[in-house]
Amino acid sequence: MGRILQFMTAGESHGAYMSAILQGVPSGLAIDHAFIKGELARRQQGYGRGGRQKIEQDEVALTAGLYQGKTIGAPIAFLLANKDVKIDKLPQLFRPRPGHADLAGCLKYDQGIREILERASARETVMRVSVGALAKLFLKEFGIEIISHVVQIGSVRLEEKELSFHDIVKGVKGSEVNCICEKTSRKMMAEIDQALKDRNTRGGVFEVRAKGIPVGLGSHVHYERKLDARIAMGLISLQSVKAVEFGLGHRLAATPGLKAHDEIAHQKNKGYYHLTNRAGGIEGGMSNGEEIVVSATMKPISTLRQPLKSVNMKTKEVERADFERSDICAVPAGGVIGEAIVAFELADAFLEKFGGDSLNETKRHYDQYLKYLSKR
Amino acid sequence: MGRILQFMTAGESHGAYMSAILQGVPSGLAIDHAFIKGELARRQQGYGRGGRQKIEQDEVALTAGLYQGKTIGAPIAFLLANKDVKIDKLPQLFRPRPGHADLAGCLKYDQGIREILERASARETVMRVSVGALAKLFLKEFGIEIISHVVQIGSVRLEEKELSFHDIVKGVKGSEVNCICEKTSRKMMAEIDQALKDRNTRGGVFEVRAKGIPVGLGSHVHYERKLDARIAMGLISLQSVKAVEFGLGHRLAATPGLKAHDEIAHQKNKGYYHLTNRAGGIEGGMSNGEEIVVSATMKPISTLRQPLKSVNMKTKEVERADFERSDICAVPAGGVIGEAIVAFELADAFLEKFGGDSLNETKRHYDQYLKYLSKR
Amino acid sequence: MGRILQFMTAGESHGAYMSAILQGVPSGLAIDHAFIKGELARRQQGYGRGGRQKIEQDEVALTAGLYQGKTIGAPIAFLLANKDVKIDKLPQLFRPRPGHADLAGCLKYDQGIREILERASARETVMRVSVGALAKLFLKEFGIEIISHVVQIGSVRLEEKELSFHDIVKGVKGSEVNCICEKTSRKMMAEIDQALKDRNTRGGVFEVRAKGIPVGLGSHVHYERKLDARIAMGLISLQSVKAVEFGLGHRLAATPGLKAHDEIAHQKNKGYYHLTNRAGGIEGGMSNGEEIVVSATMKPISTLRQPLKSVNMKTKEVERADFERSDICAVPAGGVIGEAIVAFELADAFLEKFGGDSLNETKRHYDQYLKYLSKR
Amino acid sequence: MGRILQFMTAGESHGAYMSAILQGVPSGLAIDHAFIKGELARRQQGYGRGGRQKIEQDEVALTAGLYQGKTIGAPIAFLLANKDVKIDKLPQLFRPRPGHADLAGCLKYDQGIREILERASARETVMRVSVGALAKLFLKEFGIEIISHVVQIGSVRLEEKELSFHDIVKGVKGSEVNCICEKTSRKMMAEIDQALKDRNTRGGVFEVRAKGIPVGLGSHVHYERKLDARIAMGLISLQSVKAVEFGLGHRLAATPGLKAHDEIAHQKNKGYYHLTNRAGGIEGGMSNGEEIVVSATMKPISTLRQPLKSVNMKTKEVERADFERSDICAVPAGGVIGEAIVAFELADAFLEKFGGDSLNETKRHYDQYLKYLSKR
């Protein structure tokens, strides 16, 4: 949980409700319900999703923390009724699925597999997106925007080239895999089609970008306050994510020092800035004023139509793992959830720096900071 | 900070003392001072380090939390007197170094660069290693061991092959770059020599492994309790680390589902286990009983003998960045610190699961768990 | 929030829902819905309550964290639909009520009074009681029970004498003010009747007791881990509570040392115990094995039918404070909420000491501790 | 720990060092070492203290977090070398002292009594005072001052009357028991003399006041953010404190509603204020702009020259408790430590509301708030 913004989620995949409580949001923020609904819809899209996304058109209600459409400084509650409620009637499972929480979870908690997979399910991310949507609404008030795009699906990787934020906003329009290149999009979709045919699944890489970030969010003074550490924590905690990297990321291993850092410049009307952005906008655990660029690798979906070998926990015999309805590829959705995670961490770091109990107050503080920066 | 184990560090690179306080360690743990000293020495080693490592042979004192050589359940204080104390006499700097906390820090905190770099310095990691050494002593009581090795320095990468924990323990012996392959070690050292000649620096990749981990540390139930998320947070918070990956990591993007997960097996005397370890020992945010395998990419050292372009903050003129004494490559040391970070997170997750105020009590709980597991 | 058990609540007095999320409860705990409902009913009772308690017969749903009636280790969500939903239509207020959050809240949050009082309302305690009911169910598994009784209402104070837990359980039956003495109960009710007649309100004192507590919950090692500090925090955070005391409490100021402490004894079958319980069961921040006895003073209800002087915030003119429907005396209900608060803190401290992810595991750990204690 | 300011302490009564780390203090705060030293000296004073206070004239060093006498935003380390270092040579004890952590601690931690009492000792408060002194320096920059006075020692109680902050500052001068009334001071000292003669000890009550507090610190929105709850937590965590009350405190039980609250007024140049201060400056969990008034009851010192009955833990025989050097009465010192605790909590709540990484920035934010308030 953040230092100022804090949230908890609850809910099982086939339980009655998904819910979340978020506290620390200043008063006076107008809630754009259509925006939140839109974010949830974006999470459900993407070529290669399974049937469930069609069953549930998620719509979350904000059941606390508002008065006449605006936040009041109180905890905000999110509530979403699952349409497919049947948890208590679903059968127990005995063959843990490789790649899932099944085995470790049922041993840890002294439970059956059903009790584990219901909570471990990525259905929980509907609440992370809801919370993140609120964080985005807050950040928008300060000119901060966040976007994602898909960089790789299976063996198909977007050709590397410098992209502006605007290039991405524009480029992903119309792509069913949230990729900025039409040709690559088609190849990615073909890759997914192939996986479906092979009864296989695909992983990939998404990139999240945030622009309009002031210099100085996060801190170098203590490990747990570093902005990149907090974002990494959030992203790795997303189901299927196995790697996170900032800026050039793992490619920095092979880059010599002279080519690895971002030279500093200054212009009167612009203040300090960097000539490149290899660091992905974070140096010394702080935002450095450039766009934040972070990417995450998702392993392929673990639930397979051609199940892997497992063990029947009752008999200890080798058997194929159980199968639960699932997607072929969820990387585009992963990007949307990744945006929400990054939004939450940025909003928390923003409030940690600027304080303020009302949007008005936080804005006063922020404006003063911009004035101060213009004099440094 | 962890849920049970919590620590804070303090100290500047040229200040009087580095210090830390760690709380939550059960009573009755015997402190092996030579082991702690050895860990600090390991942190100082590695081909490509600068002059400072020779000035200071770090020796930390444990100044609280012990009685007759054993922990008493009270907070443990670590204290290390810097030998090179001169912070108040060191000159102010005006040309922020690209890749460092300098610019963002001095703008955020309304300070000069000196005030920032003194705390942002990786000298702080001497405390993380101290805390981690204690965590290792605790884990050792339960048969858990942690090691690291260097996988890449600059463009030289260790050839990929399956390695046992023992292979690594044995392999790194005698290597000045903590690499298991003699030939690759030599190439890595040549790479560092070249960088020195070019007045350049090198980054790389280290891998940390932990063995003897019981199934079920961490949890799938809430994002912030996931073991991989907590380890990622710790590692990204380490100076220079820009990417973290578990198991096959970013290579999982291109791996199809059928080859990406770890099939499950069972043997009477061994219980459940996996046929492979692509996940790096963590599934669903929990340890799955296999070795934990995590690697981190360090960018090349940001302080360059051929300084990059920067801006003089007094005049706003373009100038070369300031230079502070520094290393050429710190990846082997990074691995040692990475071990400490992983040790802390594992010890915290271990205590979260098993509880116990004394080592005796934690051991009773652990033994009961092993008995229970043998019946599942 | 606790270290292991953590909860958040959300909801406004006239909003759509009250809700809470509780995490950290082990798996395998059977939920007794009737018990939870009963606790909520107890909270609504008590002589001197206003009309609202009759409108709403609170019934909370557990919407997440269960499978077939038992906990699964996942966060538990509580949901209660308010019957009197009209927050957005309620008029704004301009005359802050003395004794309430109104003035400070609307200045702090840059809001009107309505936005503040809706969240500051003691209606929120319906969630604290829900969470506490779950904590009680957990504690019951270990033989821990919690009760409260009313010691004072207005100027009527229960005569002081030693009471056993059983005396209280038995004594309060049938009392509309939850007082163990029939005669005192009648006087208390007369005091409330008088207050109603005078268009006045009454405060008082309730005492909470917990029995069956093992020695060693909480800790002396750090201020924030002290059991009494955590309980005090919880109780003072309850609306209207202005004082908290343990055991003899403020009377210890005038008690000389020789009469202020509890002598220690030992019996083979019973282990260590104390000859008296002036400390209220907590020494050095830890449970000492005796009953925990804590009492809290509630100020009289701040909403008065004869409103106090205030200021019209639009005109700055002196005017009488606004009036919202309210109770005359809520001390008996305060006791019920106090039980819930104490239950939560005890359950958290219990899990901190014993760990365990399933009820089975926590029980194993607890049994081992009892065995160990019997040998000391 | 606070949300923004966080500290840990470590150290045993006869260990090598007492230490603390405090993080979250903004940069640019000038450290007045003489002030800190003075606070530590105040903690050592008071009629009725034992011999140890003469052995150690405590002087704490700030070993991290400063550059040229000012804070830099980094964690601040406090270090104090004990003069009486002999922990490892002190004998084990077997007869737990009633009123102490001895029995519960050694059972909980599976240790001897020595290991427990060394950490449970009020010697730890030297660090709480150090941390609090820093908090006071911070608050002073915003015109906030904190003071304490002794209201009761044993059966001697200061006559109740309204006191201004200034009355207290002036009144306590020269009193060896930190009491504002000369005559009462003499009686209190006589009470202590009597206790010494009787080989007995005395408790009492101290009151802490804070003035200059802006309206709106703390919050009504969530139980754990309430300012009074946080202060109560801090004070009850102080050794010997068994009761805490705000404003009229436990006397509010018998006060009817019409006399229990503080009517509200407004003046152009002063803004909103209250006609009385029965609430002790906190309503709805927030500072209301009036002085904060909180008092705490300390039980008499538990270590008695006429030891109470205990049990020899080796033989289980009834024996008198062990005796360790101790004071007769520590209430005046308690008040000084109470000030430090209140200072910490106020500084944390202040930073939570106003944010800011440098003193300059926090001041800008605060000034803006005052301007805003003047318009409400």
Side-chain angles (χ1 to χ4, degrees), chain B residues 146-160:
Chain B
I146 298 170
I147 200 172
S148 69
H149 66 119
V150 170
V151 165
Q152 184 172 350
I153 285 181
S155 56
V156 183
R157 188 165 175 102
L158 179 70
E159 205 185 325
E160 206 157 325

Side-chain angles (χ1 to χ4, degrees), chain A residues 12-26:
Chain A
E12 282 69 48
S13 187
H14 300 93
Y17 289 96
M18 307 306 295
S19 54
I21 297 179
L22 168 66
Q23 60 167 310
V25 179

Side-chain angles (χ1 to χ4, degrees), chain D residues 27-237:
Chain D
S27 64
L29 178 68
I31 298 306
D32 179 343
H33 292 279
F35 175 78
I36 299 174
K37 193 175 171 180
E39 291 293 289
L40 292 182
R42 288 180 67 219
R43 175 188 163 277
Q44 293 189 282
Q45 286 162 8
Y47 197 78
R49 308 301 299 282
R52 179 151 189 189
Q53 302 314 325
K54 286 147 205 165
I55 298 178
E56 317 235 0
Q57 278 137 354
D58 291 328
E59 194 162 353
V60 72
L62 276 67
T63 61
L66 305 186
Y67 176 63
Q68 298 184 345
K70 289 188 175 181
T71 59
I72 59 174
I76 296 166
F78 298 85
L79 189 66
L80 191 152
N82 280 323
K83 293 203 179 77
D84 201 11
V85 183
K86 54 184 179 190
I87 183 170
D88 286 340
K89 289 166 204 156
L90 284 168
Q92 192 49 275
L93 303 174
F94 300 99
R95 288 158 298 210
R97 296 163 303 160
H100 276 284
D102 297 7
L103 179 64
C106 74
L107 295 176
K108 175 185 177 75
Y109 285 100
D110 198 356
Q111 296 273 296
I113 292 171
R114 171 63 59 196
E115 293 90 311
I116 302 309
L117 71 83
E118 283 289 328
R119 176 61 188 161
S121 159
R123 177 103 191 107
E124 185 252 347
T125 59
V126 76
M127 281 298 126
R128 299 191 79 173
V129 170
S130 300
V131 164
L134 215 122
K136 280 185 169 186
L137 287 173
F138 171 75
L139 292 168
K140 213 183 268 188
E141 298 281 339
F142 300 90
I144 296 171
E145 284 178 71
I146 298 170
I147 200 173
S148 69
H149 66 119
V150 170
V151 165
Q152 185 172 349
I153 284 181
S155 57
V156 183
R157 190 168 173 99
L158 179 69
E159 205 183 327
E160 205 156 327
K161 62 171 177 184
E162 222 153 286
L163 292 171
S164 73
F165 196 88
H166 181 70
D167 290 339
I168 300 170
V169 173
K170 218 180 82 179
V172 297
K173 275 191 187 141
S175 167
E176 285 187 65
V177 286
N178 205 31
C179 176
I180 59 150
C181 167
E182 222 185 297
K183 202 170 129 192
T184 312
S185 287
R186 276 196 304 270
K187 282 191 200 162
M188 286 173 170
M189 286 158 73
E191 178 98 359
I192 292 169
D193 289 338
Q194 187 62 44
L196 180 61
K197 220 154 86 187
D198 300 345
R199 302 164 75 208
N200 208 331
T201 58
R202 287 295 182 277
V205 179
F206 63 80
E207 181 185 276
V208 177
R209 293 232 194 158
K211 78 159 194 177
I213 310 295
V215 67
L217 303 190
S219 177
H220 68 289
V221 300
H222 213 239
Y223 65 98
E224 57 171 2
R225 295 183 57 189
K226 298 201 175 181
L227 184 59
D228 40 4
R230 289 149 73 172
I231 290 174
M233 204 270 192
L235 287 172
I236 289 281
S237 79

Side-chain angles (χ1 to χ4, degrees), chain A residues 58-99:
Chain A
D58 292 327
E59 193 162 351
V60 73
L62 277 66
T63 62
L66 304 186
Y67 176 63
Q68 298 183 345
K70 289 189 175 181
T71 59
I72 59 174
I76 296 164
F78 299 84
L79 189 66
L80 192 153
N82 280 324
K83 295 205 178 76
D84 201 12
V85 184
K86 55 183 179 191
I87 182 169
D88 286 340
K89 289 166 206 152
L90 284 167
Q92 192 49 272
L93 304 173
F94 301 98
R95 288 157 298 211
R97 297 162 302 160

Side-chain angles (χ1 to χ4, degrees), chain A residues 3-4 6 23-24 72-75 216 221-222 224-225 352-357 361 364-365 368-369 372, chain D residues 3-4 6 23-24 72-75 216 221-222 224-225 352-357 361 364-366 368-369 372:
Chain A
R3 287 158 68 94
I4 299 297
Q6 307 190 312
Q23 60 167 310
I72 59 174
V221 300
H222 214 239
E224 57 171 1
R225 296 182 57 190
E352 184 183 327
K353 170 151 190 55
F354 296 111
D357 290 308
E361 188 173 22
R364 286 197 305 263
H365 296 177
Q368 294 280 327
Y369 185 61
Y372 148 79
Chain D
R3 286 158 69 92
I4 300 296
Q6 308 189 313
Q23 59 167 312
I72 59 174
V221 300
H222 213 239
E224 57 171 2
R225 295 183 57 189
E352 184 183 328
K353 170 150 190 55
F354 297 111
D357 289 308
E361 189 173 21
R364 286 197 305 263
H365 297 176
Y366 186 59
Q368 294 279 327
Y369 185 61
Y372 148 80

Side-chain angles (χ1 to χ4, degrees), chain A residues 307-319:
Chain A
L308 295 172
K309 268 190 264 178
S310 182
V311 171
N312 183 316
M313 292 181 78
K314 284 192 298 194
T315 62
K316 309 291 188 279
E317 296 299 315
V318 176
E319 295 183 12

Side-chain angles (χ1 to χ4, degrees), chain C residues 154-175:
Chain C
S155 57
V156 183
R157 188 165 176 102
L158 179 70
E159 205 183 327
E160 203 156 328
K161 62 173 178 183
E162 222 152 287
L163 293 171
S164 73
F165 196 89
H166 182 70
D167 291 339
I168 300 172
V169 173
K170 218 181 82 179
V172 298
K173 274 189 189 146
S175 167

